[in-house]
Amino acid sequence: MDKLYAMKAWELKSLLERREVSAAEVLDSVLDRIVEVEGKVRSYITVTEEEARKAAAAADAARARGEDAGAAAGVPMAVKDVLCTRGVRTTCGSRMLENYLPVYDATVVGRLRAEGLTMVGKANMDEFAMGSSTENSAFFPTRNPWDLGRVPGGSSGGSAAAVAAGEAVWALGSDTGGSIRQPASFCGLVGLKPTYGLVSRYGLVAFASSLDQVGPIARDVRDCALLLSLLAGHDPLDSTSLPGEVPDYLAALGGGVRGLKVGVPRELVQEGLTAGVRESLENALRLLEEMGAEVSEASLPNLDYALSAYYIIAPAEASSNLARFDGVRYGLRVEGAADMLEMYGRTRAAGFGPEVKRRIMLGTYALSAGYYEAYYGQAQKVRTLIIMDFEEAFRRFDVLVSPTSPTPAFGLGEKVEDPLSMYLSDVCTIPVNLAGIPAVSIPCGLDEGLPVGLQIMGKVLDEANLLRVAHALEEALEFRAEPDPARGVGR
Amino acid sequence: MIEKKDVEYVAWLARLELSEEEIERFTRQLGQVLEHAEKIKSLDTSEIRPTSHPLPLKNVMREDLVKPGLTQEEALSNAPRAEGGYFVVPRII
C-alpha cells in the first residue's frame, strides 16, 4: 500500500469506510509528513494539529458506532487562509489580519464541518489573494515541491504546495483571476474554478467581488468532483449565490468524449508559450481526437483585451473592498496618531504590503473623478464583449481548451520587481473570471521536469461536463509523475 | 501620463500614507500598468452595455425575519480598542 499521505481522497475514504485504516492513522501520516517537509516547502501559515486530532477522533468514534461520519471525515484538508474559520487565526497572508480570530465560519467551512472536515492547517497565500506566486505573503514565500527554487504559483500557492507535498490530501482555494488553476498547474494537480455563484462566498475575505470564487484543489479529477459536490449549492447568506439543484458530479465521470466539440482559442496559444507547454497541449488535443472528439481552432478576438480590462476591474473592486481595513473594527491599528485620518493612513501603510498598496492605488486611480469612464467604465464594457465572445464560441463548441499558464513554474524572485510580467502568467485564466464561467486545470505533461496544466473551459453551470472531459483526458494522459520535496527535485 | 502629484493625490484618497520612495516607485509602476491598460481604449464600445456582474441575478430579496446574529461581545472581539460596548477611535475633528 502507498503511504497514506500520498493517496487520493477517494481511496482513503474507501479504506476508512471499510475501517481498514483509522482517521487517526491517516492524520498521523500527514502530520509526520508535515514534520518531514514543511521546513522546506512552507505551505502553512497555521498548522491546526489539535483541531485535526479532535476531528479524526470524532470520525473514528462515529465509524466505530456504525454511523456515517460524513463525506469529508478523516481526509486531511488544507484551507486557504482567506476563508474564515471560527476561533482559528485567519490572516489572508497579511500583517493587517495577523491576529484576526473570526467569530464565525465561512459557509464552505461550515458545510465541510457537517461532513466531518479534518482541517490540518491554514494555507499560505499571496496577501489578500493578490499575486501569482505566493511571494506576496507578508510572512514567507511557499516553495514548489517539484523544485524548491521555484514558486508554487498563486495566490492559492500554499494550498497547492500542501497537496503536492503530501501535507494535505486536498485543499480549498479561491480564484479571482486564476488563483486556483495556475497553482494547480504549477504543482501537477487538478484545480477547478466554479461558475460565479455556484459556491458560497460568505466568510471568504473579499478581493474583487464580481470575480471571486471558492473551489477545490485535488490530486485527481474524482477528488475534485467529490470536493466540489460538498461545496456547491445555494447559500441565503450570499446574495450572489445561485439558486437551483446541484448535479451529481461523480456520476458525470466516465462518460467519454465521443462527438465532443472542442475549440482552441487562438488568442490563448499565441505568444510566450514555452516549447514544453505547446507540446503538452498538442499531445492532449491529439488524445482528445483519438477518443472521438472533434478539435478545431476557435477565435475570441476580444480575449486580447482581457488582461488589460482585468487589471482595471480587479484593482478597482479591491480598492473598494479593502477600505474596510481601517483599524477600527478588526485587524491592525497603529496607535499614537493625532486624529482619525492620520490613524487610517498610518495603519494602512503598516498593514498592507507592496502589491496590495499597488492595487489599491491603481484601483483608486481608475475610479477617481475624471478617469472613471475612460478606465473602469470602458473595462466593464470590454467585459461585456468578452462574455459575448464566449457565448458565440459556446454555440459552436462544447468546451474550450488552452494551456493554464504560458509557462511552467518560474523561479523564486524572478518576477517580483516586474508586476506586469507577473500579471502575464494569468493571461489564459483571467478571461474565465471575467465571463463568470467554470474552468478546470489538469496536469497534461512535463516541461523540463516541471508540471504543465491544461485548462478546460465550459458554459455557465456546466461543471459536470467539464469534469467528464477532464476525467477522460486524465485517463488517456496517464500523468503519473510525483514531486519529491524531501530532495527538492522532481522524480 | 501619471505623475508624482497624481500618485500623492490618489494615496490621499485611498488613505494610504506612502513614503517618498514608494511614491516614486508607484509613479513608475502604475504608469507601466496603465500604459498596458490603454489598449482597451481602442475598442469601439459605443453600443455596448457595461457588465458589473457576470450573471443575470437581480434584486435578490428575502423575508425580513429576525434571526440569531453575533453577540455584542463577538462583534467587538477583534476591535483594536473597545469600551462599554463601543469601538474606540482617535478624535475625528
Side-chain angles (χ1 to χ4, degrees):
Chain A
M1 189 161 70
D2 271 349
K3 294 205 164 58
L4 293 172
Y5 69 73
M7 295 176 75
K8 314 280 194 287
W10 62 267
E11 294 171 326
L12 288 169
K13 271 170 60 71
S14 150
L15 292 173
L16 287 162
E17 278 155 18
R18 294 199 308 264
R19 298 184 61 197
E20 288 175 28
V21 296
S22 69
E25 287 170 302
V26 175
L27 180 61
D28 277 337
S29 171
V30 168
L31 291 172
D32 287 349
R33 181 66 170 172
I34 291 176
V35 170
E36 186 185 1
V37 301
E38 176 64 3
K40 294 189 166 112
V41 179
R42 307 212 69 185
S43 303
Y44 290 111
I45 293 174
T46 308
V47 174
T48 52
E49 178 175 343
E50 196 184 330
E51 177 168 329
R53 286 199 191 280
K54 275 186 204 154
D60 284 335
R63 286 187 177 121
R65 291 191 301 267
E67 293 166 15
D68 178 4
V75 186
M77 185 180 292
V79 175
K80 187 178 183 180
D81 212 17
V82 70
L83 287 160
C84 286
T85 42
R86 186 179 178 131
V88 175
R89 194 167 75 114
T90 299
T91 69
C92 275
S94 181
R95 294 280 170 215
M96 186 63 89
L97 292 176
E98 193 168 1
N99 300 307
Y100 176 59
L101 278 180
V103 291
Y104 64 95
D105 275 330
T107 294
V108 288
V109 172
R111 282 193 184 173
L112 288 167
R113 279 199 208 285
E115 294 291 342
L117 170 69
T118 305
M119 179 176 82
V120 278
K122 300 297 295 286
N124 197 20
M125 55 185 283
D126 286 299
E127 184 175 5
F128 288 106
M130 298 178 192
S132 312
S133 69
T134 314
E135 291 165 293
N136 294 335
S137 165
F139 306 112
F140 45 81
T142 296
R143 288 161 185 271
N144 192 315
W146 292 78
D147 177 346
L148 298 174
R150 291 175 188 269
V151 303
S155 64
S156 310
S159 295
V163 176
E167 299 183 275
V169 174
W170 49 5
L172 296 184
S174 67
D175 189 317
T176 304
S179 284
I180 287 173
R181 291 160 285 157
Q182 184 255 25
S185 151
F186 281 13
C187 292
L189 301 168
V190 177
L192 187 140
K193 199 288 287 182
T195 300
Y196 183 81
L198 180 67
V199 176
S200 168
R201 304 179 302 167
Y202 179 74
L204 168 75
V205 180
F207 161 14
S209 302
S210 77
L211 304 163
D212 299 339
Q213 264 293 287
V214 178
I217 295 177
R219 290 184 177 146
D220 70 359
V221 174
R222 182 171 297 278
D223 279 4
C224 182
L226 182 61
L227 186 47
L228 181 65
S229 68
L230 303 180
L231 303 176
H234 181 253
D235 176 13
L237 297 177
D238 175 358
S239 65
T240 61
S241 159
L242 291 168
E245 286 297 302
V246 174
D248 184 343
Y249 298 118
L250 285 170
L253 307 184
V257 296
R258 187 156 299 283
L260 185 85
K261 292 191 178 64
V262 178
V264 185
R266 84 163 80 105
E267 293 78 12
L268 300 183
V269 290
Q270 35 191 7
E271 50 199 287
L273 299 196
T274 63
V277 167
R278 195 172 286 278
E279 279 163 29
S280 300
L281 171 70
E282 281 163 8
N283 180 49
L285 296 175
R286 189 176 50 75
L287 289 172
L288 279 169
E289 283 183 328
E290 282 175 17
M291 290 187 289
E294 297 165 30
V295 178
S296 52
E297 188 181 74
S299 180
L300 291 79
N302 291 301
L303 293 197
D304 283 341
Y305 301 88
L307 192 71
S308 297
Y310 177 87
Y311 276 99
I312 297 298
I313 292 170
E317 293 184 10
S319 72
S320 172
N321 270 325
L322 270 60
R324 73 192 60 181
F325 299 106
D326 58 2
V328 176
R329 290 162 298 162
Y330 33 66
L332 181 77
R333 173 189 295 183
V334 173
E335 296 290 352
D339 61 22
M340 188 84 164
L341 281 181
E342 194 181 318
M343 187 278 281
Y344 288 159
R346 287 204 206 163
T347 294
R348 291 162 64 78
F352 294 137
E355 181 64 22
V356 175
K357 287 181 187 173
R358 192 151 44 231
R359 296 210 197 178
I360 290 174
M361 291 291 293
L362 187 58
T364 306
Y365 180 82
L367 292 175
S368 64
Y371 299 101
Y372 183 95
E373 267 312 314
Y375 287 109
Y376 188 64
Q378 178 71 356
Q380 286 186 308
K381 290 178 182 172
V382 172
R383 186 172 184 180
T384 307
L385 292 172
I386 288 164
I387 292 173
M388 288 161 68
D389 274 3
F390 273 112
E391 283 170 353
E392 182 65 33
F394 284 128
R395 277 194 272 276
R396 279 185 61 205
F397 299 104
D398 299 307
V399 296
L400 299 171
V401 302
S402 76
T404 305
S405 191
T407 71
F410 46 87
L412 278 147
E414 200 179 310
K415 297 182 194 282
V416 170
E417 287 306 313
D418 184 359
L420 206 53
S421 86
M422 182 81 85
Y423 298 170
L424 281 168
S425 91
D426 294 326
V427 68
C428 300
T429 47
I430 275 172
V432 165
N433 298 76
L434 289 171
I437 59 173
V440 62
S441 176
I442 61 168
C444 72
L446 293 174
D447 181 0
E448 296 181 5
L450 297 167
V452 172
L454 181 80
Q455 174 174 243
I456 312 168
M457 299 165 266
K459 297 168 206 172
V460 163
L461 293 178
D462 209 16
E463 279 81 359
N465 195 34
L466 280 190
L467 289 162
R468 174 173 68 93
V469 178
H471 185 251
L473 253 180
E474 177 180 69
E475 294 204 316
L477 282 159
E478 296 186 325
F479 182 87
R480 294 281 182 272
E482 282 175 20
D484 184 4
R487 273 181 56 222
V489 290
R491 64 171 149 89
Chain B
M1 210 62 254
I2 194 161
E3 292 172 32
K4 195 176 150 190
K5 67 170 173 39
D6 301 319
V7 170
E8 285 166 345
Y9 172 65
V10 171
W12 180 80
L13 288 177
R15 305 287 182 258
L16 271 176
E17 212 176 87
L18 298 183
S19 66
E20 216 26 61
E21 190 263 330
E22 283 177 314
I23 290 170
E24 274 169 29
R25 183 150 38 93
F26 285 154
T27 306
R28 194 177 70 247
Q29 290 176 336
L30 295 185
Q32 286 165 357
V33 177
L34 288 169
E35 199 181 301
H36 192 266
E38 289 293 316
K39 198 173 164 180
I40 61 172
K41 293 188 184 169
S42 65
L43 281 172
D44 177 10
T45 55
S46 50
E47 305 291 315
I48 302 296
R49 292 166 60 89
T51 296
S52 57
H53 183 286
L55 299 178
L57 269 182
K58 277 193 193 127
N59 299 336
V60 178
M61 309 293 263
R62 61 166 173 78
E63 290 301 307
D64 187 14
L65 296 173
V66 178
K67 289 186 181 170
L70 299 181
T71 63
Q72 190 180 53
E73 195 183 317
E74 285 172 327
L76 291 168
S77 65
N78 277 289
R81 285 183 67 193
E83 203 178 297
Y86 291 92
F87 295 103
V88 178
V89 297
R91 70 187 188 89
I92 292 171
I93 44 170

